[in-house]
Amino acid sequence: MTPMKRSVQTQVSEPFMESWGEESLPELPAEQSLTEYSDLEEAPSAHTLYVGHLNPQFSVPVLACLLRDTLERLEMPVAREHIEVVRRPRKAYALVQVTVHRDTLASLPWRLQTALEEHLILKELAARGKDLLLSEAQGPFSHREIVGKDQLFQGAFLGSETRNMEFKRGSGEYLSLAFKHHVRRYVCAFLNSEGGSLLVGVEDSGLVQGIRCSHRDEDRARLLVDSILQGFKPQIFPDAYTLTFIPVISTSETSVPLKVIRLTVHTPKAQSQPQLYQTDQGEVFLRRDGSIQGPLSASAIQEWCRQRWLVELGKLEEKMKALMMEKEQLQQQLQQHGPVSCTCCVL
């Protein structure tokens, strides 16, 4: 974008010129044009634009095409690959990477309203009974890189729950009431399986909502998790789990920041013999097919031990087969080469 040059005319009265004196007038530097000031104009910068209340009845390609046409009418052209549409059965939104001036971004609301009044934008682009929402996301975001990042966007879809992933909405007094019980159940179950993560602030459907969590709440949650896990048997070391608080970016302002609490239990290290972890209250939980089993009875624990021993026995049998095959190959190589003769000469 080429900066516009501005011309300035300065008028000075003759009496003022005479009183100042011809020799006392300061000389301006040669060719100190006003373009230097115009060069200070803010350059376009990259922003992430959040477009909410899209009509979920349209497919993703159709929404992307309509949205690109809409942004062009708002004097904000954007390439198709910079538009990322997230569509759910009852909700749809988009994240658009744009490079514009900040004042252009600030004027979006009234320009959108003007375009709607002049029928320049298809009204069906917005969901029924709602107005199209355009706002700037406070930071970079990519839907393909949600998990494991430093921030999440409210309304983003994290997928479905799996054997190693559990979602909890965590609304209301969750942190002071239910959180400690879920820590016991899921950490124990993950330890007795292949590890996993508990995410608080995510709906069962996989949509990120966030939970109100201040710095004081973070400190309390850390102390609570540490105190509970210290009572587990066998002993759990600090490197066996990770507790993180992921900020949630929301288009609406809240007095208390929204976050997703992620408690990750790392895959247990291989032991010489199977171990069964129990909580600080002596209960045992298992994770199977995305659900929690427990607290287990004595017979269920015996069955778990039998299955784990069968797994270990199968691994040993596989190693024995591999060693036997290697032994047979070495024997065949010796038979093919025949006996080795040596002739010694003594001088």
Side-chain angles (χ1 to χ4, degrees), residues 239-283:
D239 60 351
Y241 62 93
T242 304
L243 180 64
T244 54
F245 300 85
I246 309 174
V248 174
I249 303 174
S250 175
T251 55
S252 59
E253 296 183 359
T254 57
S255 57
V256 180
L258 297 177
K259 297 176 184 178
V260 166
I261 302 177
R262 181 176 59 197
L263 177 56
T264 299
V265 178
H266 307 298
T267 304
K269 298 179 180 179
Q271 303 291 336
S272 57
Q273 59 182 2
Q275 290 186 351
L276 193 64
Y277 288 88
Q278 61 181 2
T279 68
D280 56 337
Q281 297 179 346
E283 297 175 330

Side-chain angles (χ1 to χ4, degrees), residues 188-189 192 276-279 282-286 293-297 301:
C188 182
N192 290 328
L276 193 64
Y277 288 88
Q278 61 181 2
T279 68
E283 297 175 330
V284 176
F285 297 91
L286 298 179
Q293 294 184 355
L296 300 180
S297 61
I301 294 176

Side-chain angles (χ1 to χ4, degrees), residues 92-111:
Y93 67 92
L95 297 165
V96 185
Q97 302 294 332
V98 296
T99 302
V100 295
H101 291 87
R102 182 164 293 277
D103 56 353
T104 303
L105 206 61
S107 63
L108 266 180
W110 68 265
R111 285 196 288 131

